[in-house]
Amino acid sequence: MTPIHLELTQPPAVRAALKNRWPQWLAQAGLLAGFVFTILIGLFGPAAGNANFAVIAVWIAWWTALKLVFIPLGGRAWCSLCPIPLPGEWLQRGALLGPASRGWGLGRVWPRRLRGAWLQVAGFALIGLFSAVILTEPRVTGWVLLGLIALAVVASLVFERRAFCRYLCPIGGFTGLYARLAPLALRVKDPAVCAAHTEKLCYTGCGAGYGCPWGNFPAAVRDNAYCGLCFECLRSCPRDNLAVSLRPFGQDVVARAGARLDEAWLALLMLGSVLVYTAVFLGPWGWLKTAAYSVGSPAWLGYAAGFGLINLGLLPALFLLAVWAGQKLSGSRRSLRAAFAGQARTLAPLGLAAWVAFTIAFAFVKFPLVWAVFADPLGLGWNLLGYSADTAWPDVSAFSRLAQAAVLALGMYGAARVAVRTADRVRAALPVIGFCLAATLGLLWLLIG
Amino acid sequence: MTPAALSRSRALGWAAWLAAAILILALPWPAFARTPADRVIRVEGRRFEYAPGTVAVNMGDRVTLELVATDVVHGLHLDGYNLTLTAEPGQTARLTFVADRPGTFRFRCSTTCGPLHPFMIGQLTVGTNDFFWRAAGLIGLAALAAVWGLRR
Amino acid sequence: MTRETLARLILGGLLAGALGLSLAAYGLARRDVIEIHGRMAEAGGWTPAALDATVGQPLRLRLVADDVVHGFAVGQMDWPAINLLPGRPVETMLTFDRPGRYTFYCTRWCGLGHWRMRGVIEVAGPGAAAAPAGPPLYVQLGLDLDAPRPASAAPLPEGRPSASRGAALAVEVPELGEPRGESPAAVWQALRAQAANESFDDAELWEAVAWLWRSQTTPAALAEGERLYAANCAACHGEAGAGDGVFAPELAHPAEHTQMGAGHQTQAPTAFTDPAGMLGVSPAVLHGKLIRGGMGTGMPAWGPVFTDAQAWALIDYLWTFQFDYAASP
């Protein structure tokens, strides 16, 4: 049975719209201007977090859209619009839009030792330690955004291609891991065409398009994790051998070979983070919130230690135990390391469902804040969109708990399927399924218990 | 089995799973009848928590909620019942309602009280939180269905 | 024009738009208006906290709460207080008729340091300064607010004596000097000393004192006092006057808490329900403590905030914790 496969770039108009650089570029340039505005408001706008455009637009509007829309449906679709790498990339190319001129930068190759997702694991953990401050303090949000764009510029000037996106961006690690579940994919149509084509313009670049900024050779791309949907290969390929397609969900998740240990750690960290965040931000425990917020205090050191211990110690240990038990139960001969990395793919549907459920818990309740800051983006007391604090909002709690239960059940279904398919035998998958069930029920209890 | 029979039995199997899911969600929950009581529940609001943070009442109770702010102005909005209170230190806010909807409901601060204000949350359980157990059952069922679907 | 040039123009336009629009909006919004930010006292209070104004010239202010709910009002003026919700700026205009030094203050409880959230407006210009109505009563009477008050010889009443019942008694009232300069216990003793009052028992005389106290105020003043008490006093002295407000534990044991910051001496707030403490004190002393502040007790000085009428309304209301002012007993 061939899976359903719908080529979106079949209609010439769609293909032309993607091959033309302007539509994407205009969207990116507009978002960059919005990003600059956001940084300005973060640094100089209202001091109260929930009235500051930067805090609300980034941590409620964008962060929610990313998890509820972009990643589940489009994988790395946000990356195709993201403004953060643009200034660096433009400097690197010496051009905004046109063919590359001399450009600046050293063009170094990214160090072999730093490849993989390890830096993203560190970055994501670091964000976790400071999340209570980053999420609520406009100035900190402003500095973090500014820091990200500065880091991206430096990375572009020192290294070749999009080193920042591929190896440094903490959100990129998050997005890439869960992008494997998305139905949207940019792939070569016929690998034979690529094999016969000796110039590999998709990698080296040509007048029509740059060489893959993500350092991929498109014919070798098997999953969504590291394709940033920048569409350069679609433009550069002289044979029109690339297509954007829709497929069923979760096609890229199962990999019996080639699963990587760094991705397993990233997946565990992201699962642990959502559990910790739910407990801290949505739980009834004020001391936990205060500890997470008081950066530098003894309480915060305790929180940081707990965060590290749970995410980098306890959770990986439990997962390893589950994998080991599965190996024992089924008498598998796979190395524990390979089984650990392979079975960790289970955490993709589980983790995404967890993040979606966590997001549902506050996104709808806090939506009026989004309206309010868009009505008064500078915090000057404007009301551009007819916002009123007295508007009665529909009570979304009944709907959102139903949605949370459904999403978590769906995630559990996906996780159990991946667990079985990445294990040697069904029996080997059972302990891992048990681990997933425990994590999901734990989150369910934190959310609606 | 012929391929047609196989696909028919699969379809039947999925229908059974679906039926089980609906059953889990819709099955009547045994309710233990208790005489409704009048209850006064005093909740202290301080940055950024309620004390107590979790409150339980029985179905049908007449609940008087007293919100006492102990540092700055705080609010309390109760999900599900759509009630809002605002209290200032020295001015306790009260309201009375009949707890006629079962389940666990979050209440959150509705007056900006500092950086972590959006996360100042407590919970009220009326009767039993049967939805949690139904959802847990649904999640377990999803795991079973996944394994069943991949059986060889 | 090449594509690249066009792109550069567009990008330049977009970035200049984002920068320019926000700068222009801020610039225009801040023209001719003073922006005052309010934060909890320990985070800085009002910024700026000192303003200058001229008689007859409107002072345009934009008020912004930066952290929690605050309120803005000018002391001793009957302008309505302005509520400040965080991130919701409010613009207002103040015009002063007379020169002088005015206090502006926070009207919503924003932590134990709430009362420290004050600033001054120096109003210059022609005309006579807002004249004080003479020295406060305790100064006129030469009372020492901090003198220890020995226990009164008068027996304490049981429960709250009813003013209405006191009104029905034909008690002989001796000539009292300034009625607000005497404590209830002193007045009770003066009544007891009258030979004509011999037929009344101790409790009846307390009811007569309650009636005398009530006849010095009005229902309107009591209502105003009740409102002022709830908004300004109840957080420490308790909603029922028992000295058990939400900040009381912290004031009683300042060392165990940090809200006030180090170096602030405080003590447990006075319980207005305690007859031994209250009945020996004159309204003039209470009024003095109210407007001067408690000197090392944590009691703020409310003089610059309340008008004379407001301060006396508040003092009148305090006696309802001792006396039953209800129309029928």
Side-chain angles (χ1 to χ4, degrees):
Chain A
M1 192 175 78
T2 21
I4 309 153
H5 191 100
L6 182 67
E7 197 192 321
L8 298 176
T9 38
Q10 199 116 56
V14 176
R15 182 166 283 273
L18 285 180
K19 285 197 109 167
N20 189 328
R21 312 195 73 87
W22 279 106
Q24 186 187 12
W25 187 88
L26 283 173
Q28 288 174 324
L31 283 168
L32 183 64
F35 194 77
V36 169
F37 176 79
T38 307
I39 292 175
L40 284 175
I41 299 299
L43 293 179
F44 304 107
N50 58 351
N52 187 292
F53 179 84
V55 167
I56 301 301
V58 173
W59 299 125
I60 306 274
W62 168 79
W63 191 214
T64 297
L66 185 74
K67 289 180 284 179
L68 295 194
V69 182
F70 282 106
I71 294 178
L73 301 180
R76 278 195 184 266
W78 170 258
C79 297
S80 73
L81 300 172
C82 179
I84 295 177
L86 298 178
E89 187 166 66
W90 290 336
L91 287 173
Q92 195 185 56
R93 288 173 181 167
L96 294 182
L97 186 77
S101 63
R102 263 220 317 270
W104 286 277
L106 307 174
R108 297 237 175 106
V109 177
W110 184 260
R112 188 164 288 278
R113 270 178 307 167
L114 296 180
R115 294 208 172 158
W118 294 110
L119 287 173
Q120 288 167 327
V121 171
F124 205 77
L126 216 59
I127 286 184
L129 296 187
F130 299 100
S131 58
V133 175
I134 297 173
L135 280 178
T136 57
E137 292 287 352
R139 308 295 178 252
V140 180
T141 292
W143 280 111
V144 166
L145 298 183
L146 199 60
L148 284 177
I149 212 162
L151 190 62
V153 168
V154 171
S156 289
L157 291 183
V158 175
F159 301 103
E160 57 168 4
R161 303 183 196 247
R162 281 196 183 186
F164 171 79
C165 303
R166 175 115 202 204
Y167 301 111
L168 292 173
C169 178
I171 305 297
F174 179 89
T175 310
L177 198 65
Y178 296 135
R180 290 200 171 107
L181 291 156
L184 196 75
L186 171 59
R187 297 291 150 77
V188 298
K189 290 192 260 191
D190 180 4
V193 174
C194 299
H197 184 228
T198 48
E199 289 164 289
K200 314 292 189 226
L201 294 178
C202 52
Y203 187 77
T204 57
C206 63
Y210 296 99
C212 178
W214 290 69
N216 297 322
F217 173 47
V221 169
R222 294 275 179 273
D223 75 32
N224 272 350
Y226 301 104
C227 165
L229 291 176
C230 61
F231 306 120
E232 290 301 338
C233 52
L234 196 95
R235 293 170 187 134
S236 57
C237 179
R239 310 274 164 89
D240 263 354
N241 194 30
L242 283 118
V244 181
S245 315
L246 277 183
R247 332 150 291 167
F249 289 91
Q251 289 290 295
D252 301 344
V253 178
V254 176
R256 281 195 44 93
R260 288 165 23 189
L261 210 54
D262 53 338
E263 291 178 352
W265 278 86
L266 193 61
L268 283 161
L269 172 65
M270 289 189 319
L271 178 67
S273 296
V274 69
L275 286 164
V276 172
Y277 287 167
T278 309
V280 171
F281 293 120
L282 303 180
W285 306 290
W287 55 271
L288 198 54
K289 298 176 211 288
T290 312
Y293 181 78
S294 331
V295 170
S297 72
W300 177 79
L301 289 176
Y303 161 77
F307 185 88
L309 214 61
I310 289 175
N311 290 316
L312 304 173
L314 184 66
L315 219 54
L318 286 175
F319 190 72
L320 186 66
L321 190 70
V323 173
W324 176 82
Q327 298 276 88
K328 288 283 153 216
L329 273 176
S330 65
S332 163
R333 299 219 186 143
R334 222 165 16 145
S335 79
L336 191 57
R337 186 193 164 108
F340 180 82
Q343 294 262 76
R345 289 290 177 93
T346 308
L347 304 172
L350 190 80
L352 182 61
W355 278 99
V356 170
F358 166 67
T359 305
I360 288 173
F362 66 84
F364 299 125
V365 180
K366 297 296 175 198
F367 178 76
L369 292 176
V370 177
W371 190 5
V373 296
F374 275 89
D376 182 18
L378 292 140
L380 291 173
W382 296 353
N383 194 352
L384 304 176
L385 302 172
Y387 169 78
S388 161
D390 304 322
T391 310
W393 290 90
D395 191 346
V396 289
S397 56
F399 163 75
S400 76
R401 65 177 194 176
L402 199 66
Q404 285 168 329
V407 164
L408 288 178
L410 214 60
M412 187 65 231
Y413 176 78
R417 275 182 72 89
V418 176
V420 171
R421 292 174 64 197
T422 51
D424 282 343
R425 300 164 61 184
V426 173
R427 212 187 289 168
L430 292 180
V432 170
I433 293 177
F435 173 92
C436 294
L437 201 58
T440 304
L441 292 180
L443 186 72
L444 182 79
W445 177 75
L446 286 171
L447 286 171
I448 64 170
Chain B
M1 269 196 282
T2 64
L6 192 69
S7 95
R8 197 162 47 240
S9 87
R10 289 230 146 204
L12 271 173
W14 285 118
W17 287 110
L18 195 68
I22 291 171
L23 210 63
I24 285 178
L25 284 177
L27 211 66
W29 194 265
F32 303 100
R34 280 204 179 81
T35 335
D38 279 346
R39 272 170 202 275
V40 177
I41 290 168
R42 178 189 150 103
V43 177
E44 284 193 7
R46 69 175 79 99
R47 310 208 304 164
F48 299 97
E49 67 178 335
Y50 292 102
T54 52
V55 174
V57 300
N58 293 324
M59 261 297 271
D61 282 357
R62 260 177 76 84
V63 181
T64 299
L65 211 53
E66 287 188 349
L67 177 63
V68 181
T70 62
D71 43 18
V72 304
V73 183
H74 289 290
L76 184 158
H77 177 86
L78 177 58
D79 283 357
Y81 285 81
N82 222 352
L83 304 170
T84 307
L85 280 172
T86 306
E88 181 162 346
Q91 299 180 59
T92 300
R94 290 178 183 79
L95 66 77
T96 303
F97 65 98
V98 176
D100 53 5
R101 239 163 294 172
T104 294
F105 304 92
R106 259 60 180 174
F107 47 88
R108 25 186 125 242
C109 186
S110 52
T111 302
T112 308
C113 61
L116 295 182
H117 151 73
F119 309 118
M120 181 168 163
I121 292 173
Q123 57 202 55
L124 167 79
T125 299
V126 178
T128 42
N129 185 14
D130 62 278
F131 186 76
F132 170 75
W133 298 106
R134 291 178 200 273
L138 200 65
I139 288 166
L141 193 72
L144 290 176
V147 177
W148 176 85
L150 288 175
R151 79 196 192 285
R152 280 179 270 266
Chain C
M1 188 158 53
T2 64
R3 290 190 323 167
E4 180 64 19
T5 319
L6 182 62
R8 284 180 190 186
L9 281 175
I10 293 174
L11 183 70
L14 283 170
L15 291 180
L19 262 163
L21 275 179
S22 30
L23 287 179
Y26 271 121
L28 281 176
R30 295 225 166 107
R31 211 175 46 178
D32 302 329
V33 62
I34 300 170
E35 193 166 282
I36 302 185
H37 289 262
R39 295 184 208 101
M40 293 168 77
E42 49 271 48
W46 298 110
T47 323
L51 302 172
D52 291 306
T54 311
V55 166
Q57 289 190 9
L59 183 63
R60 283 189 57 199
L61 302 177
R62 182 176 26 250
L63 308 164
V64 191
D66 279 354
D67 42 20
V68 304
V69 176
H70 297 289
F72 175 92
V74 179
Q76 300 193 332
M77 308 297 277
D78 45 12
W79 298 332
I82 297 169
N83 263 328
L84 300 176
L85 302 178
R88 287 283 150 67
V90 177
E91 290 207 10
T92 188
M93 205 150 66
L94 307 176
T95 310
F96 294 87
D97 297 338
R98 288 201 259 183
R101 189 181 164 87
Y102 296 80
T103 296
F104 65 91
Y105 65 102
C106 179
T107 57
R108 306 292 302 271
W109 276 96
C110 51
L112 193 44
H114 156 67
W115 59 273
R116 286 193 281 148
M117 207 175 148
R118 292 184 184 178
V120 288
I121 307 174
E122 293 282 1
V123 181
L137 188 59
Y138 78 93
V139 177
Q140 292 174 32
L141 298 175
L143 299 175
D144 179 2
L145 296 184
D146 303 309
R149 270 177 296 281
S152 159
L156 296 177
E158 294 191 6
R160 286 195 309 159
S162 158
S164 300
R165 243 185 264 148
L169 307 167
V171 169
E172 174 87 14
V173 181
E175 192 65 33
L176 298 167
E178 164 59 46
R180 285 174 151 158
E182 302 291 345
S183 71
V187 172
W188 185 92
Q189 280 176 303
L191 294 182
R192 183 83 291 172
Q194 296 294 111
N197 292 339
E198 207 140 287
S199 58
F200 299 113
D201 65 19
D202 289 357
E204 285 172 323
L205 285 189
W206 275 118
E207 287 169 350
V209 173
W211 160 66
L212 284 172
W213 246 248
R214 190 182 70 178
S215 52
Q216 282 169 29
T217 185
T218 62
L222 288 175
E224 169 81 340
E226 182 175 11
R227 186 186 67 76
L228 292 170
Y229 181 87
N232 299 291
C233 317
C236 301
H237 292 281
E239 290 176 53
D244 59 351
V246 291
F247 293 120
E250 196 164 344
L251 290 167
H253 306 285
E256 294 166 22
H257 299 82
T258 50
Q259 246 196 71
M260 277 295 266
H264 286 271
Q265 266 198 339
T266 62
Q267 50 179 250
T270 300
F272 302 123
T273 48
D274 168 31
M278 276 294 273
L279 295 176
V281 188
S282 68
V285 167
L286 287 176
H287 178 256
K289 292 213 171 189
L290 173 70
I291 62 174
R292 186 206 62 174
M295 300 286 192
T297 65
M299 168 75 183
W302 295 94
V305 165
F306 294 138
T307 63
D308 208 41
Q310 284 175 327
W312 280 113
L314 197 43
I315 299 303
D316 288 351
Y317 174 72
L318 292 187
W319 295 107
T320 63
F321 296 122
Q322 287 299 322
F323 301 134
D324 180 5
Y325 283 178
S328 55

